[in-house]
């Protein structure tokens, strides 16, 4: 069972509850899916860990309605914990993560520029011929060789871009989950 099927079934079984309560419970379940996906689990594994949607709905419906609008009690030290978590993430990001990520992005950008400049090398050779009216076969064949190298680099640069975007997004989500207190 995937995420959508699981949440749809729970939502259908929770129809007697007020819409606000139903959305809050579904939001909590959706966060469980987000947390599991960030940790490399599949949607079916997460659904299996959460249990049977019927049991989840039955437990939610058995709780008295008076408790739905009450906010959960604050844990002792939660404010201090949040401050230390924020400060820890701030120092981690400023001293380690951001410089490393900036370096990796700069390496990717330089590879992309090299690849593109290699690809346009024949255009530069033709421009040189048009401006100087002298043709050097070695220069022209060298530019064609550079084009081949640039075309060979291009898929690797694209793969690195996808990897960098995915890594950056996962790291950003990890920061958000950590600040919310999931860890």
């Amino acid at each position: 069972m995937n995420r959508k099927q699981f949440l749809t079934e729970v939502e259908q079984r929770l129809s007697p509850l007020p819409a606000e309560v139903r959305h809050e419970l579904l939001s909590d379940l959706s966060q469980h899916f987000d947390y599991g996906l960030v940790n490399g689990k599949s949607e079916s594994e997460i659904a299996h860990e959460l249990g049977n949607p019927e049991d989840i709905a039955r437990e939610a419906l058995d709780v008295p309605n008076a408790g739905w609008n009450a906010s959960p009690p604050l844990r002792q030290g939660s404010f201090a914990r949040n401050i230390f978590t924020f400060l820890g993430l701030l120092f981690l990001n400023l001293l380690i993560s951001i410089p490393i990520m900036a370096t990796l992005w700069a390496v990717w950008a330089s590879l992309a520029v090299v690849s593109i400049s290699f690809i346009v090398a024949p255009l530069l050779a033709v421009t040189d011929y048009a401006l100087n009216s002298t043709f050097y076969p070695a220069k022209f064949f060298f530019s064609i060789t550079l084009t081949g190298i640039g075309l060979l680099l291009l898929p690797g640069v694209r793969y690195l871009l996808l990897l960098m975007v995915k890594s950056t997004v996962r790291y950003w989500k990890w920061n958000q989950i950590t600040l919310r207190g999931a860890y």
Side-chain angles (χ1 to χ4, degrees), residues 74-143:
L74 292 174
R75 292 179 288 164
Q76 258 192 350
S78 66
F79 180 73
R81 181 192 158 282
N82 289 341
I83 293 295
F84 284 121
T85 302
F86 174 77
L87 291 174
L89 280 176
L90 180 69
F91 285 120
L92 173 73
N93 287 333
L94 288 177
L95 298 177
I96 298 171
S97 302
I98 291 175
I100 290 174
M101 290 180 102
T103 303
L104 292 174
W105 276 105
V107 167
W108 174 84
S110 64
L111 285 173
V113 167
V114 165
S115 177
I116 291 170
S117 64
F118 280 7
I119 291 171
V120 299
L123 295 176
L124 297 175
V126 169
T127 305
D128 182 42
Y129 173 69
L131 294 175
N132 296 330
S133 299
T134 55
F135 180 72
Y136 298 107
K139 190 185 283 187
F140 183 70
F141 288 119
F142 182 69
S143 68

Side-chain angles (χ1 to χ4, degrees), residues 1 33 36-37 39-48:
M1 178 177 295
F33 275 97
L37 290 172
N39 288 319
K41 295 180 182 178
S42 69
E43 289 184 354
S44 60
E45 289 175 331
I46 299 166
H48 181 72

